Structure formats: structure tokens, C-alpha cells
């Protein structure tokens, strides 16, 4: 391109000084000057219009012979554009139908042997036939007349101005034309010359459209077509400029990044931080790792892959991050266990009140560790209601053992890759939470708490519960395989503690791998001790108070526990104590007077009115009302079963109806109770005929709360018997147990939680199955203090007891 610019630069200067005549003589020759046949010069990608002067480079042998002979004899020639520029020896079919008569103004010999001829155009013609092909083309032509435009036509002036403006804008934005070209176009007054000059000067993208201009005889029509092409060319030029600007911006950004990377590499080399140094640093860290030969071989293989990578490629950083993560993992790096059993017991007792089963299991583990040194860590699952200290217990265990502590929340997890990780070839790949937690704590034997394991869900991304089977199996987790790490890692030294509110939603195979430890709720006395020893000091510190600023009396604390909270744990109790601390802090900040000690009478000011809970024993004042005991995920609760009896109308037989948002199992229990009484009407104090005329309605209050389970079976039959007899049952009793159609009373679960609910509600006697006696014997005396138990084997014993005077 540079050589062409060097050639055409001076040629354009010569053209610009050729005098241009305006008027008819500028573009037309007389008929007497025009021969019948013209030597034809085939033009490639060029069109000569009348009245214009253009340079044409000629390289073909026939064309060079024509130019030399025409210049020597001062002959006119005919210039005809080729349809296809790649044809070397064109015939008539390869030429455009129209052409322009031209006179050779000057020729220049070029260094490569070709000739550049400066041609001036005159009349247009149409090729009728090619009469000779050697030594060059000779054609018989028909000369065409121009149809001039009316100078008085207002459209002509408007078209002329538009052509000048559009052409000037195209030329100004083009780097191949001098800036003076736009001014030259502005100074052209001759309408015909303006059209032909602009058509010749402007590069029009569609070559066929430019040829079409040459065929139009009507100057006004030619000008309209030219204006249309100019507008297209201007729009196309804008698009090209936008694309070039975007490409330039991208190239500039790439060049900037390349420059900055080179600068960074230079700085790193000056500081001794080049890739070779980085590789040496990685290998030096690897040499200090206590990993297996297989892992060492894998690391070296991945290192060699990193060394072959281009530092500027994205794969380089992915590989570098992977190797760095391998080195960050604590392969066989463990903290030393504190095997002082008395110290461990002291720490556990200090941090948590009660929880004897868990503490005993940890102490057992420490004792065996002290003797064997290499015992596999157990997998413990603490299940129970919220707020009893399951999660915080893990931190206490870690402190007692002197180990690192890691907590991983599994609630709502539904992607298997969160446990096993993604393969490192994926974009944004990450290791699983288990391995990532090990890397964060920097130890191979931490205490790892997997919180809310019962709230894992499964979807199309996999089942995380199944992925945990390998993690929580002491026989398999010695070689846990994380997809990102792609190497086996030993998890057997990790002490896993999982937490759950209920065991029913835990995967059965997963539940089988863990030691299930029930963490039950607290008695009011235990809550009092926890509040005094743990919660109040914690909230005083959190609110910037001292024991001199806030004291809570025992009656006030007992009232908070009984009147302002209803839970198995102590989370709500802590919130109420925090509220008292906030109000106290506000009074101190505002300079208001405050009581020296919070008494029960002050609670209304600090906490508002007590909340009336439904689970307080009502006393069974009316027939047909019996208190039952139920188990929920948040602990034990009491519920009331109400029964009403009415006469069947219209001689119809009696029917049973049920309300209270009961589940299918509970509805079945009501049906069994009804059918049993129907078969044994004597229990209801009537005969079969009298029973058949009674409509019975069973209702369990709080209809908005779903209820289900079989343990209300004996409660329902007792409520029906009470309503049918018209006698109320003993006061301050509650019952729980499933019944069969033969009247057998079956044992139920959740006895400890139900006992706590009964004590909160003021119950004195609990009726339950004889087979549940072993559960009562396993409960500490403090939990059952103040309660009596009536063990029954069948429904007859239940009915006899509840109506005994």
C-alpha cells in the first residue's frame, strides 16, 4: 500500500492542476471528431466518466501496446469496465455494455515495467460489437447523447447541494484523499461535471452500482441515483468507523494488558520473583509436606503441567491455584490432644450445664485415646429441640481437647458438589466444604460440627446426604475423595459432631453410621441455673453492664421462665434477659432511676404483659375434656382432646366427626377409639342400643396447627368415655399411649420431652403404657420429681383409673 501511495500521490497532484473547462466543450466532442470504431481499453475496477481525468495503471501486453500506439498517433480510445476484474483476456461478454471515449493526456513508465496513463473522459458510448481482438480489442460503438438537466428546476439546485455536502463528508473522513478535495467539490458549478467528478472520485462499495451510473443518460436521474449511492456509502463508512473504533479499543486493551504483564514480569525478575523462582518456592513447600508417595507424584505431575503452561493463559492461574490449595492442606499435620481428663471435664462443665450423655461420651473417647494413642474419632449426632446447646457444644469439645474448631452449616444444602467439590477443569471450580474447612483450620484433626444435618434436601444436582456417607463412615473416610483435589485425603482423625432437631428426616444409611445422642430440653430448675451461671453474665458483657448495674431476683427469673417463655431450650430465655439488659442500658444512658434489683413486679415494665400459653393445665373442669401429651421438633407439648355427645336426629344411627386439623394417623386413632367403645359400650356406662343413638364429635383445639401421630389414642377414648358418661376425669392428669382395636395400650416415644411439658403445665400424674416404665427408669430423678406415673396395659385399666373417686 505504501508503494501505491507513493506512485499515486504525485499523479493526483498533476490531475489537480489540469485546467477544467466548464460548459458543453468540457465533456463532449463533435461528431466529426468521433470515429465509428474505437480501440477498447478494458478497465479493472475503474469507471471513467465524461469530463473527468483519472490515472490508470496498465500492465497487460495488449493494453500497453494500445496505450503506446494511441499516444504516438494522438488517437482517441474507448474505456470499457470489465465485469470481472480477474479475467486476463476479456471478450465482449466480459465487458460492460457502456464505456467512455478518452484521450491520453500523459503516460509514465513505472519501475515494474507497467505504464500509468492519465486519461481524460469525453462522450459516452455503447459497444455494439468487437470487430478485432489482435493486437488489441477494436470495437464498433454507438455514441450516446446526454439529456441535460433544467437549470431552472429547483430540484437540481437541491440535489447539487446535497451531493456536494455528502461527498465532502465522505472525503473528509477518508484518509486516502487530501483535505483540499472536499473544498474543490464545493467550488464546482457545472451540474454535469459535478455528477461525473463525484462519481469518479468517490469509492462506491458496490461496483455494479457505479457501472449503472454510466448507463444513465438523463443527468437528473443519474444525479438522484448518485445521491442514493453516496448516502449508502456514508452510512457504510459510519459502520466501518464504529467497528474500527471497537476493534481499536480491544486491541488497545490487549496491548495495555500485554504491556502491564511485561512490566510485571520485569519487576518480578528484578525482585527475584519470576516464574522459575515461583516454581522453586512451590517445590520447596512440597518437600516439607508429610504426604504419601502417590500424592507427591501427583503434585510433581501437576507441577510439570504448570511449567509447560503459558503464564498469560487462563489455564496457568487455574493450575497455580490448584497446586497452592494442595500445599495449603494440612497433610497429616495434627494438633496435640490435651488428654487431661479432669481438665476436659472441667471445661465441658464450665461451658454447658447438663448434657451428661454427651460429656460422658467425650470423656470415654479421651480415656481410650490416652491408652491407645491412635483411636479413630467417633461420629456423634446430637439431636433434640432447638436452643439446648447442640451447636455450641462442639466449640466446647474443641477447647477441651485443645483442637481446632470448624463449623459447616448444612441447612438447605441441595448440591452434592458442596460436599465433594467440582472437578478443577470446570470454570469457577471449588473444593467441597469438608476439604475447604480442613484447609481453613490448618489441622488434620479438628472438631468439625456439621450443623442441621436433618435439613439437607436433594434435587437434580444430586443428593448431599449420599455424599456424606463416605465422610461420616469411620471405615471409609480414611481415603475421602474430593473431586477438586482429585486425591485421597484422610478424614479419620477429624472428630465429627452433627446436629439435628429430628432423626426422622436423616438418611437411614447416614443415621446408621452415627452414634445418636439425645439432647433433651431443660427443667425449670435447670433453666434457672443456666440463666444464673451463663446467660446473665453473657448479656451483661454484651451490653456493657456490670453486676452492679443489673441484678435479677430468683422469683423474677422464675416468672420469666414460666410466664414469658415456652420452649425446651433456653434461646427465648436469653432473648428476654437481653431485652431487660437493653432497657437497663437505656435507663443508665438517659440518667433515669432504675431498681437496684429486678423483681417480679418490674417485669411488666421491662418485658410487657406475660403471654398466656395454651399449655397450662385447665383442670379438666367439664366432662369430655382430657389432657394428652405430644412430641414435636421443638420439644414436648400438652394438648387437649375435647369430645361432645348429641342425640342422633330422625332415628338415624350415631356417627363420628372430627375437627382440629388432624392428620391421617390421628384420625385413625379416633376411629379406633370410637369402634372400641362401640364394641364395649359398658365402658361408656350404656348399652349398645343407647350408644348407637349418639353422635360423637372429637375436636383438638388450635385448629390452625397440624397434628398427627398415634400417641393420642388412649386420650381420645378417655375423652369419649367421659362425654358419654357425663363425668369429668381426675384433675391434673395427662396421658399418652397408642391403643389397638383390641384395647391394648402400646408404648410411645419422646417420654422425656413429654414429662418436661407436663411439669411446665402443672400436671401431677401421667398415664402411660407399662412398657414405657423402662424409659422412666432411665430418666434422672430430678426430671420426674413431683410426678407420679400410672402404668396401664389396656383401655379398661385407663377407664377405671380416670373415673376412680
Amino acid at each position: 500500500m505504501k508503494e501505491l501511495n507513493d506512485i499515486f500521490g504525485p499523479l493526483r497532484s498533476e490531475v489537480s492542476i489540469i485546467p477544467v473547462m466548464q460548459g458543453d466543450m468540457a465533456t463532449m466532442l463533435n461528431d466529426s471528431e468521433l470515429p465509428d470504431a474505437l480501440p477498447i481499453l478494458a478497465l479493472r475496477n475503474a469507471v471513467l466518466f465524461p469530463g473527468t481525468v483519472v490515472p490508470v495503471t496498465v500492465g497487460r501486453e495488449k493494453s500497453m501496446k494500445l496505450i503506446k500506439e494511441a499516444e504516438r498517433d494522438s488517437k482517441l480510445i474507448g474505456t470499457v469496465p470489465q465485469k470481472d476484474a480477474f479475467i486476463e483476456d476479456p471478450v465482449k461478454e466480459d465487458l460492460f455494455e457502456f464505456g467512455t471515449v478518452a484521450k491520453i493526456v500523459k503516460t509514465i513508465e513505472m519501475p515494474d515495467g507497467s505504464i500509468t496513463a492519465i486519461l481524460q473522459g469525453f462522450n459516452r458510448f455503447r459497444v455494439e460489437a468487437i470487430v478485432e481482438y489482435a493486437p488489441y480489442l477494436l470495437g464498433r460503438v454507438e455514441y450516446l447523447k446526454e439529456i441535460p438537466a433544467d437549470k431552472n428546476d429547483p430540484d437540481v439546485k437541491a440535489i447539487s447541494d446535497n451531493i456536494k455536502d455528502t461527498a465532502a463528508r465522505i472525503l473528509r473522513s477518508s484518509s486516502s484523499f487530501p483535505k483540499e478535495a472536499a473544498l474543490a467539490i464545493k467550488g464546482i458549478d457545472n451540474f454535469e461535471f459535478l455528477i461525473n467528478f463525484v462519481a469518479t472520485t468517490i469509492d462506491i462499495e458496490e461496483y455494479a452500482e457505479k457501472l449503472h451510473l454510466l448507463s444513465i443518460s438523463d443527468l437528473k436521474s443519474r444525479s438522484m441515483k448518485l445521491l442514493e449511492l453516496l448516502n449508502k456509502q456514508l452510512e457504510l463508512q459510519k459502520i466501518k468507523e464504529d467497528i474500527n473504533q471497537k476493534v481499536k479499543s480491544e486491541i488497545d486493551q490487549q496491548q495495555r494488558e500485554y504491556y502491564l504483564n511485561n512490566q510485571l514480569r520485569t519487576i518480578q525478575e528484578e525482585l527475584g520473583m519470576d516464574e522459575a523462582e515461583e516454581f522453586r518456592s512451590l517445590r520447596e513447600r512440597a518437600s516439607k509436606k508429610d504426604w504419601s508417595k502417590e500424592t507427591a507424584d501427583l503434585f510433581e505431575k501437576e507441577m510439570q503441567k504448570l511449567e509447560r503452561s503459558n503464564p498469560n493463559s487462563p489455564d496457568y492461574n487455574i493450575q497455580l491455584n490448584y497446586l497452592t490449595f494442595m500445599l495449603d492442606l494440612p497433610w497429616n499435620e495434627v494438633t496435640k490432644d490435651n488428654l487431661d481428663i479432669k481438665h476436659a471435664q472441667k471445661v465441658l462443665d464450665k461451658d454447658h450445664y447438663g448434657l451428661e450423655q454427651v460429656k460422658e461420651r467425650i470423656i470415654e473417647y479421651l480415656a481410650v485415646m490416652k491408652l491407645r494413642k491412635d483411636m479413630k474419632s467417633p461420629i456423634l449426632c446430637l439431636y433434640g429441640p432447638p436452643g439446648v446447646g447442640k451447636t455450641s457444644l462442639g466449640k466446647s469439645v474443641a477447647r477441651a481437647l485443645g483442637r481446632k474448631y470448624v463449623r459447616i452449616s448444612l441447612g438447605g444444602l441441595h448440591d452434592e458438589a458442596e460436599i465433594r467439590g467440582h472437578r478443577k477443569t470446570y470454570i469457577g471450580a471449588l473444593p467441597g466444604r469438608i476439604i475447604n474447612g480442613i484447609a481453613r483450620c490448618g489441622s488434620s484433626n479438628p472438631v468439625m460440627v456439621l450443623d442441621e444435618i436433618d435439613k439437607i434436601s436433594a434435587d437434580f444436582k444430586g443428593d448431599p446426604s449420599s455424599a456424606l456417607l463416605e465422610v461420616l463412615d469411620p471405615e471409609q473416610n480414611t481415603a475421602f475423595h474430593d473431586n477438586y483435589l482429585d486425591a485421597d485425603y484422610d478424614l479419620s482423625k477429624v472428630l465429627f459432631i452433627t446436629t439435628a432437631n429430628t432423626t426422622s428426616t436423616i438418611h437411614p444409611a447416614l443415621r446408621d453410621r452415627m452414634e445418636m445422642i439425645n439432647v433433651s430440653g431443660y427443667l425449670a430448675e435447670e433453666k434457672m441455673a443456666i440463666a444464673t451461671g451463663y446467660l446473665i453474665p453473657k448479656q451483661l458483657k454484651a451490653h456493657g453492664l456490670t453486676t452492679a448495674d443489673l441484678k435479677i431476683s430468683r422469683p423474677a427469673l422464675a416468672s420469666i421462665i414460666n410466664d414469658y417463655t415456652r420452649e425446651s431450650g433456653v434461646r427465648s430465655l436469653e432473648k428476654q434477659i437481653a431485652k431487660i439488659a437493653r432497657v437497663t442500658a437505656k435507663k443508665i444512658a438517659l440518667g433515669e432511676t432504675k431498681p437496684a434489683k429486678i423483681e417480679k413486679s418490674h417485669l411488666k415494665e421491662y418485658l410487657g404483659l406475660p403471654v398466656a400459653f395454651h399449655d397450662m393445665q385447665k383442670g379438666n373442669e367439664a366432662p369430655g375434656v382430657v389432657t394428652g401429651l405430644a412430641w414435636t421438633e421443638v420439644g414436648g407439648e400438652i394438648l387437649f382432646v375435647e369430645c361432645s355427645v348429641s342425640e342422633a336426629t330422625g332415628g338415624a344411627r350415631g356417627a363420628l366427626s372430627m375437627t382440629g386439623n388432624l392428620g391421617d394417623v390421628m384420625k385413625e386413632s379416633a376411629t379406633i377409639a370410637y369402634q372400641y367403645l362401640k364394641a364395649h359400650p359398658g365402658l361408656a356406662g350404656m348399652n349398645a342400643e343407647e350408644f348407637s343413638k349418639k353422635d360423637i364429635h372429637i375436636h383438638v383445639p388450635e385448629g390452625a396447627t397440624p397434628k398427627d401421630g398415634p400417641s393420642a389414642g388412649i386420650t381420645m377414648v378417655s375423652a369419649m368415655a367421659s362425654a358419654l358418661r357425663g363425668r369429668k376425669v381426675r384433675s391434673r392428669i395427662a396421658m399418652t399411649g397408642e391403643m389397638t382395636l383390641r384395647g391394648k395400650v402400646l408404648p410411645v416415644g419422646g417420654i422425656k420431652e413429654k414429662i418436661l411439658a407436663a411439669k411446665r403445665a402443672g400436671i401431677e400424674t401421667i398415664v402411660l403404657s407399662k412398657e414405657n416404665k423402662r424409659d422412666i427408669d432411665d430418666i434422672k430423678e430430678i426430671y420426674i420429681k413431683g410426678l407420679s406415673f400410672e402404668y396401664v396395659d389396656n383401655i379398661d385399666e385407663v377407664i377405671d383409673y380416670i373415673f376412680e373417686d
Side-chain angles (χ1 to χ4, degrees):
M1 288 300 295
K2 183 178 184 303
E3 292 78 7
L4 291 175
N5 287 333
D6 292 340
I7 294 169
F8 282 91
L11 288 178
R12 290 192 182 280
S13 298
E14 284 189 46
V15 171
S16 64
I17 62 172
I18 295 174
V20 177
M21 297 176 62
Q22 297 190 9
D24 295 337
M25 295 304 293
T27 58
M28 300 292 290
L29 294 173
N30 294 329
D31 292 343
S32 59
E33 299 177 79
L34 299 172
D36 293 334
L38 287 172
I40 301 299
L41 176 66
L43 302 179
R44 300 186 186 188
N45 293 327
V47 183
L48 179 64
F49 284 88
T52 61
V53 178
V54 296
V56 176
T57 300
V58 179
R60 287 182 286 203
E61 185 178 348
K62 283 185 178 182
S63 300
M64 292 174 66
K65 186 175 291 186
L66 184 152
I67 292 295
K68 289 178 181 178
E69 185 178 315
E71 183 184 26
R72 186 187 66 227
D73 299 337
S74 301
K75 291 197 300 185
L76 297 173
I77 64 173
T79 59
V80 180
Q82 284 184 211
K83 296 177 183 177
D84 187 351
F86 293 98
I87 297 176
E88 287 295 324
D89 192 10
V91 296
K92 184 177 186 303
E93 288 74 18
D94 302 321
L95 299 175
F96 189 56
E97 186 180 1
F98 298 92
T100 304
V101 177
K103 183 184 290 184
I104 300 173
V105 178
K106 185 179 181 180
T107 60
I108 302 172
E109 297 282 346
M110 307 304 291
D112 61 354
S114 62
I115 297 174
T116 296
I118 300 175
L119 305 178
Q120 182 177 6
F122 292 97
N123 302 54
R124 292 180 311 111
F125 63 81
R126 186 171 61 82
V127 179
E128 292 184 338
I130 300 297
V131 294
E132 290 184 16
Y133 284 92
Y136 43 75
L137 299 179
L138 183 68
R140 187 172 65 250
V141 299
E142 174 191 359
Y143 296 100
L144 305 174
K145 298 292 185 181
E146 300 289 334
I147 301 175
D150 185 359
K151 294 181 180 179
N152 297 322
D153 187 348
D155 291 344
V156 172
K157 179 69 169 63
I159 293 171
S160 175
D161 291 341
N162 276 337
I163 290 175
K164 289 180 182 181
D165 291 341
T166 308
R169 289 167 64 187
I170 294 174
L171 290 176
R172 276 196 297 269
S173 59
S174 175
S175 59
S176 58
F177 289 93
K179 301 300 181 184
E180 293 80 8
L183 296 174
I185 289 178
K186 289 283 189 181
I188 299 175
D189 295 330
N190 186 289
F191 185 64
E192 178 184 352
F193 179 70
L194 174 67
I195 297 169
N196 294 334
F197 182 79
V198 171
T200 304
T201 306
I202 302 298
D203 293 328
I204 295 174
E205 194 74 18
E206 294 292 336
Y207 182 58
E209 299 280 9
K210 197 167 186 177
L211 294 180
H212 180 59
L213 284 176
L214 189 62
S215 67
I216 301 174
S217 297
D218 185 2
L219 284 178
K220 185 176 180 181
S221 299
R222 191 189 303 172
S223 66
M224 291 291 290
K225 182 65 177 175
L226 174 62
L227 186 58
E228 178 187 337
L229 295 178
L230 290 178
N231 285 319
K232 283 184 181 179
Q233 187 66 23
L234 186 61
E235 289 300 320
L236 187 61
Q237 203 168 46
K238 288 180 181 178
I239 295 172
K240 286 181 178 179
E241 287 176 1
D242 291 342
I243 294 172
N244 288 336
Q245 188 62 37
K246 290 179 182 177
V247 173
K248 183 177 182 297
S249 299
E250 292 177 3
I251 293 174
D252 288 347
Q253 180 65 21
Q254 292 175 358
Q255 289 175 339
R256 181 175 178 273
E257 291 176 359
Y258 177 76
Y259 172 76
L260 291 175
N261 284 329
N262 282 342
Q263 292 291 323
L264 179 61
R265 192 173 293 110
T266 302
I267 293 170
Q268 289 175 339
E269 289 174 357
E270 289 293 327
L271 296 174
M273 296 169 57
D274 56 351
E275 282 84 10
E277 179 62 29
E278 190 170 37
F279 298 155
R280 283 194 298 272
S281 174
L282 292 175
R283 283 199 168 92
E284 184 179 348
R285 288 181 60 189
S287 65
K288 299 176 183 177
K289 286 290 177 182
D290 181 20
W291 48 26
S292 64
K293 184 178 182 303
E294 291 78 9
T295 308
D297 292 342
L298 174 64
F299 178 83
E300 183 57 33
K301 178 183 175 183
E302 297 295 333
M303 272 298 301
Q304 292 174 6
K305 190 184 295 184
L306 178 69
E307 290 172 334
R308 292 193 298 268
S309 301
N310 183 352
N312 293 323
S313 70
D315 292 340
Y316 181 87
N317 286 327
I318 292 173
Q319 189 71 7
L320 180 60
N321 290 338
Y322 169 71
L323 290 169
T324 304
F325 180 75
M326 280 191 74
L327 294 173
D328 289 341
L329 275 175
W331 300 85
N332 296 318
E333 299 171 23
V334 297
T335 55
K336 187 177 180 181
D337 285 334
N338 184 350
L339 299 179
D340 185 346
I341 295 178
K342 291 184 178 179
H343 166 76
Q345 186 73 59
K346 184 178 178 181
V347 170
L348 293 173
D349 289 341
K350 181 182 178 182
D351 290 350
H352 288 81
Y353 185 88
L355 306 179
E356 301 301 334
Q357 267 190 301
V358 188
K359 294 176 182 177
E360 185 179 347
R361 183 64 185 87
I362 299 301
I363 296 302
E364 290 171 358
Y365 169 69
L366 276 178
V368 177
M369 277 285 292
K370 194 169 186 177
L371 297 176
R372 282 202 55 180
K373 308 293 185 185
D374 61 348
M375 178 188 175
K376 290 182 179 179
S377 296
I379 313 293
L380 307 179
C381 179
L382 311 180
Y383 69 95
V388 294
K390 300 185 299 296
T391 303
S392 59
L393 187 66
K395 190 175 291 187
S396 297
V397 172
R399 201 159 70 87
L401 296 176
R403 292 190 180 187
K404 299 289 184 67
Y405 169 76
V406 182
R407 176 183 168 273
I408 297 175
S409 177
L410 301 179
L413 199 70
H414 55 82
D415 187 357
E416 181 187 343
E418 293 283 348
I419 303 297
R420 288 192 177 277
H422 309 79
R423 298 197 180 278
K424 67 176 184 292
T425 52
Y426 296 160
I427 295 175
L430 291 171
R433 292 194 184 189
I434 304 296
I435 290 294
N436 199 33
I438 297 286
R440 281 202 321 270
C441 73
S443 169
S444 286
N445 67 335
V447 174
M448 182 173 288
V449 174
L450 303 180
D451 216 4
E452 309 290 357
I453 197 170
D454 58 325
K455 295 177 178 62
I456 295 177
S457 58
D459 66 1
F460 66 94
K461 296 179 182 177
D463 184 3
S465 295
S466 301
L468 281 172
L469 293 177
E470 183 183 3
V471 176
L472 300 180
D473 189 341
E475 301 301 322
Q476 297 181 36
N477 64 11
T478 53
F480 173 66
H481 190 88
D482 184 272
N483 290 330
Y484 180 83
L485 186 61
D486 203 19
D488 292 339
Y489 192 88
D490 185 5
L491 295 177
S492 63
K493 299 181 181 66
V494 180
L495 175 55
F496 287 103
I497 298 178
T498 66
T499 71
N501 294 131
T502 176
T503 58
S504 60
T505 56
I506 302 177
H507 194 291
L510 192 58
R511 190 167 62 242
D512 184 59
R513 284 164 163 76
M514 301 183 291
E515 293 184 42
M516 310 303 293
I517 300 176
N518 183 19
V519 184
S520 59
Y522 298 110
L523 296 169
E525 293 80 4
E526 289 178 314
K527 291 181 181 180
M528 186 82 73
I530 292 170
T532 305
Y534 300 87
L535 303 182
I536 293 177
K538 178 183 175 183
Q539 292 304 321
L540 289 177
K541 183 179 179 181
H543 292 84
L545 302 174
T546 65
T547 53
D549 298 322
L550 175 62
K551 294 178 182 178
I552 303 177
S553 68
R554 290 186 68 82
L557 204 53
S559 179
I560 295 173
I561 293 170
N562 295 323
D563 301 335
Y564 289 88
T565 63
R566 181 180 67 90
E567 57 176 349
S568 295
V570 292
R571 191 167 288 154
S572 295
L573 176 59
E574 184 176 7
K575 291 178 182 176
Q576 298 298 334
I577 294 172
K579 187 175 182 180
I580 292 174
R582 289 196 302 272
V583 176
T584 303
K586 185 188 76 170
K587 286 180 177 292
I588 293 173
L590 296 176
E592 299 176 1
T593 58
K594 64 178 182 62
K597 180 183 284 190
I598 303 296
E599 299 291 348
K600 186 176 179 180
S601 58
H602 299 129
L603 294 181
K604 182 178 179 182
E605 177 188 355
Y606 281 76
L607 300 179
L609 291 173
V611 181
F613 295 118
H614 77 282
D615 61 349
M616 295 307 293
Q617 169 67 13
K618 300 296 190 300
N620 304 335
E621 296 88 354
V625 180
V626 180
T627 305
L629 296 174
W631 178 91
T632 69
E633 289 186 12
V634 296
E637 288 189 4
I638 70 168
L639 55 83
F640 300 99
V641 176
E642 300 175 349
C643 179
S644 67
V645 178
S646 60
E647 295 290 337
T649 58
R653 302 189 69 81
L656 172 68
S657 57
M658 295 167 280
T659 55
N661 202 354
L662 308 183
D664 291 339
V665 177
M666 207 163 183
K667 287 179 179 178
E668 289 175 358
S669 296
T671 304
I672 291 171
Y674 177 76
Q675 293 296 337
Y676 186 81
L677 284 178
K678 188 175 181 180
H680 304 84
L683 293 176
M686 56 183 63
N687 57 41
E689 182 66 25
E690 291 172 328
F691 188 92
S692 65
K693 296 179 180 179
K694 302 292 184 183
D695 284 340
I696 298 177
H697 184 113
I698 284 284
H699 176 67
V700 182
E702 291 196 49
T705 305
K707 309 166 192 72
D708 205 2
S711 62
I714 65 171
T715 312
M716 288 185 169
V717 76
S718 299
M720 291 182 190
S722 173
L724 290 167
R725 287 191 179 195
R727 292 180 60 188
K728 63 181 182 180
V729 301
R730 284 173 177 262
S731 63
R732 298 193 177 277
I733 69 166
M735 55 187 68
T736 180
E738 181 181 357
M739 69 168 289
T740 70
L741 202 55
R742 294 179 293 111
K744 182 75 175 175
V745 179
L746 301 180
V748 291
I751 296 299
K752 186 175 180 180
E753 286 76 10
K754 292 176 180 178
I755 288 174
L756 294 177
K759 293 197 73 171
R760 285 199 304 268
I763 299 295
E764 295 176 354
T765 305
I766 298 178
V767 180
L768 69 169
S769 171
K770 283 183 179 179
E771 295 182 41
N772 278 126
K773 188 175 187 304
R774 63 177 183 269
D775 297 302
I776 302 298
D777 295 339
D778 195 42
I779 297 175
K780 285 188 175 183
E781 181 67 27
I782 186 174
Y783 288 97
I784 60 177
K785 185 179 179 181
L787 286 174
S788 62
F789 299 93
E790 181 68 23
Y791 300 107
V792 294
D793 190 51
N794 54 60
I795 291 297
D796 293 358
E797 296 177 26
V798 176
I799 300 298
D800 289 343
Y801 176 75
I802 63 175
F803 291 120
E804 184 181 0
D805 292 335

